[in-house]
Amino acid sequence: MQDPFSNAMAQLNKVAKIKSFGDDIISRLRQPNRDIKVSIPVRMDDGTLKIFEGYRVEYNNVLGPYKGGIRYHASTNISEVKALAFWMSLKCAVIGIPMGGGKGGITVDPKLLSKSELEKLSRGWVEKLSDILGPHKDVPAPDVNTTAEIMAWMADEYGKITGDKTGAVITGKPIESGGSLGRDTATAQGGFYAFEALKEKLGLNKKCDVAIQGFGNAGANAAEIWQAAGHKIVAVSDSKSGVCNREGLNIEKVLQHKKATGSLFGFSKDERGCTDITNEDLLEMECDLLIPAAFENVITEHNADKIHAKAILELANGPIDSAADEVLFKKNITVVPDVLANSGGVAVSYFEWDQNLKNEHWTRDEVFEKLQPMMAASANKVFETAKISNTDLRMGAFILAIESIEQNQ
Ligand code: NAD
């Protein structure tokens, strides 16, 4: 399996063969402007000192301040963070916001820390990086396993160190700490707007059977949003287990079970028509729309030919590697790529930053009234660009993004 950064660079090499750009822009996009590793000492509750490794990758800032989330995971490493920062650079360009691309992370399983240890670690990450962060320099946000509460600790720590209390240094904050209404569901909602704009072109202008891998911020909100629009959610999964119901899952009940028990495990026991499903089987099941919303590299050359979905919408970053892209394209399975499909998250992060700097507070409706046309216009542009170059939507999105960065450098 390719590591995420090799996969990102394979995608870049592919687009450079499809479309001729100036050599400079491709060379520039092969490396981040800088990648930084820091060690973060944390005094644990038992009195011992533990050192954690943290990262910030500032990939490209031609279009504006670096922007991108912070991931806490035991397997997070600099290669993964570099790939995610590269995709952020393209994502901001695809939806046309004045932001560059960055990403951060800490190698840690946050479930093994107490709340006070987690707070010390999060504040420690900011302390080590406060010189390079800033509302007009580098603006982080949440990603896997990082929450609004963690963003509030980080914004507070940055304010203490620098005196900047605008909160605009970080997005995804709780509403009472300057967060934007709508940021919590923005990634899934944006994906849904992109789907709505493209569904006719994808042959999915009907009530769809939808399977979703990952049941966190992106996946669980997607399940609620697609279900509310009348689609049938036939399977969902998390890191431990999955549940399937061909007649459609009751997502509200699944959410209640997950909240009460911490996982999806055991849900199928008392539910008629419901069975357990593995992550592998979920990816390969017959459905109209498959939404990977967990991790990178879940569809590779090893399982691409077993995918039976009619279309795939990537709410996760990098869930399909470039070898699998080729297989899916040949099988006529359309992939709505991450740099378009999950860009609603960064779009509303940008709205939050804008509100903080102007000291404004938009309603949820105002946020989504701005998001919907942004997503629809970007989706249509990506589709048209791909059509002109006779390529897939990922390459269409890459062409759009790289042209925009090239014109502005
Ligand atoms: P999250 O931490 O809220 O949820 C992650 C989910 O994935 C959890 O349900 C977890 O159980 C599940 N998971 C973990 N490992 C898994 C595995 N091996 N198989 C199946 N499920 C697994 O994270 P999130 O914010 O929902 O992010 C999910 C994906 O969406 C990531 O790729 C992230 O980069 C991307 N994304 C998130 C946002 C956002 O605003 N949250 C924005 C853009 C992209």
Side-chain angles (χ1 to χ4, degrees):
M1 190 186 293
Q2 276 182 317
D3 78 82
F5 191 63
S6 307
N7 183 33
M9 291 304 102
Q11 294 169 342
L12 184 65
N13 292 338
K14 186 173 162 189
V15 77
K17 283 189 194 134
I18 293 173
K19 178 97 187 163
S20 65
F21 302 99
D23 287 347
D24 289 359
I25 184 65
I26 298 296
S27 307
R28 223 175 140 164
L29 288 173
R30 280 194 210 289
Q31 284 298 328
N33 285 345
R34 57 179 163 179
D35 49 358
I36 298 163
K37 269 192 205 170
V38 291
S39 57
I40 310 165
V42 174
R43 182 70 59 194
M44 306 299 277
D45 293 350
D46 65 4
T48 58
L49 188 74
K50 208 165 168 189
I51 312 288
F52 293 88
E53 189 162 78
Y55 317 95
R56 187 70 185 166
V57 174
E58 296 186 330
Y59 210 97
N60 188 284
N61 62 348
V62 164
L63 297 177
Y66 301 103
K67 186 89 197 78
I70 309 161
R71 177 173 290 195
Y72 288 2
H73 198 274
S75 65
T76 290
N77 57 49
I78 195 76
S79 157
E80 179 184 61
V81 180
K82 262 165 71 174
L84 293 163
F86 167 77
W87 288 319
M88 284 305 300
S89 310
L90 302 190
K91 198 180 296 184
C92 293
V94 168
I95 45 156
I97 59 171
M99 292 279 173
K103 202 81 185 189
I106 301 178
T107 308
V108 60
D109 180 350
K111 294 190 185 103
L112 302 180
L113 301 190
S114 70
K115 191 167 171 179
S116 87
E117 290 166 345
L118 192 63
E119 180 171 350
K120 283 188 237 172
L121 178 66
S122 304
R123 288 181 182 274
W125 186 89
V126 172
E127 194 194 323
K128 285 292 168 93
L129 292 166
S130 63
D131 283 351
I132 65 156
L133 303 177
H136 298 285
K137 294 196 285 186
D138 185 342
V139 187
D143 191 68
V144 173
N145 287 329
T146 49
T147 58
E149 185 177 39
I150 293 175
M151 299 304 110
W153 294 332
M154 289 182 159
D156 181 64
E157 190 63 27
Y158 183 81
K160 279 185 187 155
I161 295 169
T162 65
D164 181 331
K165 308 274 185 191
T166 60
V169 66
I170 202 155
T171 58
K173 301 178 292 293
I175 305 303
E176 60 279 12
S177 309
S180 177
L181 288 165
R183 177 61 186 89
D184 48 352
T185 57
T187 301
Q189 189 65 54
F192 182 72
Y193 290 146
F195 167 77
E196 284 279 296
L198 295 175
K199 65 183 182 190
E200 221 169 300
K201 296 165 179 139
L202 305 183
L204 292 180
N205 199 10
K206 57 170 185 157
K207 297 296 173 205
C208 293
D209 284 1
V210 184
I212 303 176
Q213 184 196 39
F215 205 62
N217 176 295
N221 283 310
E224 284 192 294
I225 291 167
W226 260 265
Q227 183 166 77
H231 301 288
K232 207 194 285 173
I233 312 301
V234 290
V236 296
S237 67
D238 64 14
S239 58
K240 297 193 193 88
S241 54
V243 287
C244 170
N245 188 342
R246 275 279 156 206
E247 297 310 311
L249 291 160
N250 179 331
I251 293 303
E252 206 177 308
K253 271 189 167 177
V254 181
L255 277 165
Q256 278 166 7
H257 180 89
K258 169 101 185 177
K259 209 167 172 190
T261 66
S263 83
L264 301 175
F265 190 72
F267 178 78
S268 65
K269 204 161 50 89
D270 304 320
E271 287 294 313
R272 249 190 48 204
C274 198
T275 52
D276 289 338
I277 188 167
T278 63
N279 265 294
E280 291 73 27
D281 289 344
L282 180 147
L283 293 170
E284 294 169 14
M285 72 189 285
E286 294 264 358
C287 61
D288 297 305
L289 184 66
L290 172 64
I291 304 183
F295 262 90
E296 299 94 59
N297 281 337
V298 295
I299 302 178
T300 66
E301 58 188 340
H302 300 298
N303 60 353
D305 62 344
K306 299 184 201 142
I307 302 297
H308 289 99
K310 294 198 177 81
I312 303 175
L313 183 130
E314 296 181 323
L315 283 186
N317 285 303
I320 302 177
D321 75 10
S322 50
D325 262 345
E326 299 288 327
V327 178
L328 296 171
F329 189 61
K330 282 189 192 128
K331 284 179 64 148
N332 216 10
I333 298 174
T334 307
V335 176
V336 184
D338 47 9
V339 291
L340 168 67
N342 69 32
S343 62
V346 72
V348 177
S349 271
Y350 160 63
F351 296 162
E352 179 176 332
W353 174 84
D354 200 27
Q355 289 171 78
N356 292 155
L357 290 175
K358 294 176 178 158
N359 198 18
E360 290 179 359
H361 304 277
W362 305 346
T363 64
R364 187 176 284 269
D365 284 351
E366 281 175 302
V367 167
F368 290 137
E369 276 160 22
K370 290 176 202 288
L371 181 64
Q372 190 278 333
M374 211 174 198
M375 295 302 307
S378 305
N380 286 322
K381 268 196 239 165
V382 165
F383 188 86
E384 289 309 318
T385 310
K387 203 164 128 191
I388 290 165
S389 296
N390 192 24
T391 184
D392 60 17
L393 298 187
R394 190 184 315 285
M395 290 298 108
F398 270 50
I399 292 169
L400 258 187
I402 296 171
E403 280 178 347
S404 165
I405 296 171
E406 188 175 31
Q407 280 156 18
N408 284 284
Q409 69 180 344

